[in-house]
Amino acid sequence: MIKMKKFIVALGGNALIRKGQRGTAEEQFSNIRMPIRQIAELSRDYQIVITHGNGPQSGNLLLQQESCDEVPKMPLSIIGAQTQGQIGFMIESTLDEELMRLDLDKEKLFITVLSYTAVSRDDPAFQNPTKPIGPAYEEPQPGFVKTSKGWRRVVPSPKPHKIYQYREIKHLLENNFIVIACGGGGIPVYKEDKLIHGVEAVIDKDLATAKLGTQIGADILLIATDEDRVALNFGKPDEIRFDTLSVADAKKYLKEGQFPPGSMGPKIQACINFLEDGGEKAIITSINNIQDALQGNAGTNFTL
Amino acid sequence: MIKMKKFIVALGGNALIRKGQRGTAEEQFSNIRMPIRQIAELSRDYQIVITHGNGPQSGNLLLQQESCDEVPKMPLSIIGAQTQGQIGFMIESTLDEELMRLDLDKEKLFITVLSYTAVSRDDPAFQNPTKPIGPAYEEPQPGFVKTSKGWRRVVPSPKPHKIYQYREIKHLLENNFIVIACGGGGIPVYKEDKLIHGVEAVIDKDLATAKLGTQIGADILLIATDEDRVALNFGKPDEIRFDTLSVADAKKYLKEGQFPPGSMGPKIQACINFLEDGGEKAIITSINNIQDALQGNAGTNFTL
């Protein structure tokens, strides 16, 4: 038997809820079909880990709990776990259907790994919260920032140090499981004195995916988003789109501020980290082009 | 190496939220410690599957979504998946701590398996919904019944035919994983034309646990609840508590109406099913006495 390559794919928020949608269950199940269909087909040739964002889903749960005083409010760690369950089920049941369609359902196993991610309590992000979460309000409140939607709570976005479940994930991959993991970047925690502490923070899912990829020895990282390729001067007349981008150039453009911190920036940083930490291939492409990009026919391919 | 016995333990609602509590995250983490500490110690000697209820947690999520018109309401299948994520994380992180305490954390793996459970569309339960869920209202509404708390929505509680993830769970058990599965009885679904349909229903978690136990070839089923032993004439002067109870007697008492349908009834039925389907041992005991009951020093032990 030929050893299959390990492929880790990060699905962006648009994989489940498109711009302008409110995010009904029907919309989410319908949207997730296209990436999952591609991934089901790829499972013939690759060991696969699927990671995903959870911004809109956790935002909805936060809004619901803000609207209801009768029920005790849950910390972000629990909200994160709830979204890992929800999105894990949506991906699994769609994957199950697609594997049935391909007659692979008897052969393949799949599983969602609830994931928590180690952060450092000394991370400077804790002194400088930057990630807006939850509902927007018209009036400012303590710890809120003004965004285009209104005033929102901001929480720190610390660096992921490790995904605790990497041993489980490695084992599962090598035993014929398609693995869904690291939802929403993983639940941010630190361990101290043999206790696990959830923290009120959000980890970038692309940086967490790259970290997990390194930990499990993944060969290929693919970040699936809205855009098919990374662009310089995005949206301007002199826009340039890259088929390939060297890590050196990517670092230079990052420093020049070409890639916004809240969107393309961390995706590019994730690709840089993954290749510098020993990964073979890192790609950014759109949700529609996962298969094409793996064959070299779409997306931006990063090179060391 | 001696082959370890397979032990499946169902944790009742009180394992996470006690009577009179609102169910804050702190309360739930604190309550789950005692059963999980016992289970961590038992993991030296048994392959273990942990199942759990989700009544209060899904009730809270339903109440929150009723209170908020801005967010699309999710079907019961998604609510169930959210609670499997939430409770799975609470159990896992507590288990992680207890395994560290016992210096077993390097050796043992653990995982939550999001679970869906096959029901039959022809199940008579769909003609006769009996399970009250979600918030109670003062005024009746269509599809609601009057309960001691007020008017509540009722949904069917169909029989579990199989837990779809049994192959995954079997594999994991045999590969040194402690498995959390079948939360809330599993998400009720049926498969038709290679599609998976969630249904608005709730599966009894004890019946589902017995079914999963049979599917994975578990040796021992233990149902952990409020009471240490099964009683006849419960709460009356002539109350009798059983150390052992034969399946034949249990069936007789069930028929006589000794065990209420909403509480002890399905637990006893689950023990009967498990033994009749080939299980070796079935026990009902309290959350506090899991270890003692396994050693024969507590609980009601069912015999064929």
Side-chain angles (χ1 to χ4, degrees):
Chain A
M1 196 174 121
I2 298 164
K3 177 97 178 153
M4 292 203 286
K5 292 212 171 190
K6 283 196 182 111
F7 170 51
I8 185 163
V9 51
L11 301 179
N14 66 332
L16 286 152
I17 304 183
R18 301 261 169 83
K19 276 186 189 119
Q21 292 183 334
R22 294 175 66 228
T24 64
E26 292 71 22
E27 285 168 345
Q28 297 191 56
F29 275 115
S30 165
N31 294 333
I32 198 69
R33 177 77 53 188
M34 198 209 316
I36 296 305
R37 177 162 291 182
Q38 298 176 68
I39 288 167
E41 291 183 357
L42 290 168
S43 74
R44 291 195 179 107
D45 302 317
Y46 297 92
Q47 293 179 7
I48 301 181
V49 179
I50 304 166
T51 73
H52 59 84
N54 72 344
Q57 292 81 6
S58 60
N60 281 351
L61 286 167
L62 285 165
L63 185 53
Q64 286 177 333
Q65 74 173 14
E66 288 296 318
S67 313
C68 178
D69 286 330
E70 279 177 80
V71 171
K73 300 198 190 333
M74 290 292 139
L76 279 184
S77 53
I78 299 297
I79 302 276
Q82 289 172 339
T83 66
Q84 289 185 2
Q86 166 180 347
I87 300 170
F89 170 67
M90 288 176 153
I91 292 177
E92 279 191 20
S93 55
T94 306
L95 185 59
D96 197 356
E97 292 175 348
E98 293 299 318
L99 293 172
M100 283 191 270
R101 202 179 56 85
L102 298 170
D103 277 328
L104 291 172
D105 55 309
K106 296 280 177 289
E107 181 175 323
K108 283 277 165 190
L109 302 166
F110 52 82
I111 197 160
T112 297
V113 179
L114 300 179
S115 306
Y116 33 98
T117 301
V119 300
S120 162
R121 292 178 73 187
D122 304 328
D123 195 303
F126 286 106
Q127 305 307 318
N128 179 31
T130 54
K131 181 83 185 163
I133 60 160
Y137 294 87
E138 283 179 24
E139 296 294 321
Q141 300 187 35
F144 278 47
V145 290
K146 188 156 192 173
T147 70
S148 57
K149 298 181 188 166
W151 290 88
R152 294 178 74 196
R153 185 177 160 205
V154 281
V155 295
S157 187
K159 273 192 196 143
H161 280 284
K162 73 172 180 187
I163 285 71
Y164 279 112
Q165 281 71 18
Y166 78 98
R167 292 184 307 160
E168 282 82 356
I169 295 168
K170 225 173 150 178
H171 170 95
L172 293 162
L173 273 187
E174 286 159 8
N175 284 272
N176 204 31
F177 280 77
I178 302 170
V179 176
I180 300 139
C182 212
I187 300 164
V189 304
Y190 64 91
K191 289 192 183 180
E192 196 175 70
D193 299 333
K194 305 195 174 184
L195 291 173
I196 296 166
H197 303 271
V199 290
E200 292 293 290
V202 168
I203 296 170
D204 181 85
K205 75 133 192 359
D206 297 306
L207 295 177
T209 301
K211 178 62 74 178
L212 176 59
T214 302
Q215 286 183 280
I216 61 172
D219 301 287
I220 307 167
L221 165 70
L222 187 149
I223 298 177
T225 180
D226 293 307
E227 303 295 328
D228 177 52
R229 284 176 296 166
V230 174
L232 279 195
N233 310 316
F234 180 68
K236 295 181 190 154
D238 58 344
E239 181 182 288
I240 300 169
R241 292 188 166 256
F242 294 107
D243 293 328
T244 60
L245 185 59
S246 73
V247 162
D249 283 349
K251 282 181 173 177
K252 191 182 71 179
Y253 297 136
L254 257 183
K255 219 178 246 174
E256 291 172 12
Q258 281 277 354
F259 310 124
S263 71
M264 201 51 100
K267 296 183 200 311
I268 287 172
Q269 189 63 55
C271 290
I272 294 170
N273 293 354
F274 181 72
L275 290 181
E276 290 192 336
D277 290 340
E280 184 186 308
K281 215 176 208 187
I283 303 167
I284 295 178
T285 188
S286 80
I287 288 284
N288 307 347
N289 292 348
I290 296 172
Q291 281 177 293
D292 283 351
L294 269 182
Q295 286 161 9
N297 301 324
T300 298
N301 218 308
F302 288 75
T303 55
L304 251 194
Chain B
M1 196 173 118
I2 298 163
K3 179 96 175 155
M4 292 201 286
K5 293 213 170 189
K6 284 197 182 110
F7 171 51
I8 186 165
V9 50
L11 302 179
N14 67 333
L16 285 152
I17 304 182
R18 301 263 169 82
K19 275 186 190 120
Q21 292 182 333
R22 296 174 66 228
T24 64
E26 291 72 22
E27 284 168 347
Q28 298 191 55
F29 275 115
S30 164
N31 294 334
I32 199 67
R33 176 79 52 187
M34 200 209 314
I36 296 305
R37 177 163 290 181
Q38 297 176 69
I39 288 168
E41 291 182 359
L42 289 167
S43 75
R44 291 195 179 107
D45 302 316
Y46 297 91
Q47 294 179 8
I48 301 180
V49 179
I50 305 166
T51 73
H52 60 84
N54 72 345
Q57 292 82 6
S58 60
N60 281 351
L61 285 167
L62 285 165
L63 185 53
Q64 286 177 333
Q65 75 173 15
E66 288 296 319
S67 313
C68 177
D69 286 332
E70 280 177 80
V71 172
K73 300 198 191 333
M74 292 291 138
L76 279 185
S77 53
I78 299 295
I79 302 277
Q82 290 172 338
T83 65
Q84 288 185 2
Q86 167 180 346
I87 300 170
F89 170 66
M90 286 175 155
I91 292 177
E92 280 192 18
S93 54
T94 307
L95 185 57
D96 197 356
E97 293 174 347
E98 292 300 319
L99 292 172
M100 284 191 270
R101 202 179 54 84
L102 297 170
D103 277 328
L104 290 172
D105 55 309
K106 295 280 176 291
E107 178 176 324
K108 282 278 165 190
L109 301 166
F110 52 83
I111 197 161
T112 297
V113 179
L114 300 179
S115 306
Y116 33 99
T117 301
V119 299
S120 162
R121 293 178 72 187
D122 305 328
D123 194 304
F126 287 105
Q127 306 307 318
N128 179 30
T130 53
K131 180 81 185 165
I133 60 160
Y137 293 88
E138 283 180 24
E139 296 295 319
Q141 301 186 36
F144 278 48
V145 290
K146 187 154 191 176
T147 70
S148 56
K149 298 180 188 168
W151 289 89
R152 295 178 72 195
R153 186 177 159 205
V154 281
V155 295
S157 188
K159 273 191 197 145
H161 281 284
K162 74 171 178 186
I163 285 70
Y164 280 111
Q165 282 69 19
Y166 77 98
R167 293 183 307 159
E168 282 82 356
I169 295 167
K170 224 173 150 179
H171 169 95
L172 292 164
L173 272 188
E174 286 159 7
N175 283 272
N176 203 30
F177 280 76
I178 302 170
V179 176
I180 300 139
C182 213
I187 300 165
V189 304
Y190 63 92
K191 289 191 183 182
E192 196 175 70
D193 300 333
K194 305 195 175 184
L195 291 173
I196 296 166
H197 303 270
V199 290
E200 292 292 290
V202 169
I203 297 170
D204 181 85
K205 75 132 194 357
D206 296 307
L207 295 177
T209 301
K211 179 59 75 177
L212 176 59
T214 302
Q215 286 183 280
I216 61 172
D219 301 286
I220 307 167
L221 165 69
L222 187 148
I223 297 177
T225 182
D226 292 308
E227 302 295 328
D228 177 53
R229 283 176 296 165
V230 174
L232 278 195
N233 311 315
F234 180 68
K236 293 179 192 156
D238 58 345
E239 181 181 289
I240 300 169
R241 293 188 165 254
F242 294 108
D243 292 328
T244 61
L245 185 59
S246 74
V247 162
D249 284 348
K251 283 180 170 176
K252 192 183 69 178
Y253 297 136
L254 257 184
K255 218 178 245 173
E256 290 172 14
Q258 281 277 356
F259 311 123
S263 71
M264 201 50 101
K267 297 183 199 309
I268 287 171
Q269 189 62 55
C271 290
I272 294 170
N273 293 354
F274 181 72
L275 290 181
E276 290 192 336
D277 289 341
E280 184 186 308
K281 213 175 211 188
I283 303 167
I284 295 178
T285 187
S286 79
I287 288 284
N288 308 347
N289 292 348
I290 296 172
Q291 281 176 293
D292 282 350
L294 270 182
Q295 286 162 7
N297 301 324
T300 298
N301 219 309
F302 288 75
T303 54
L304 253 192

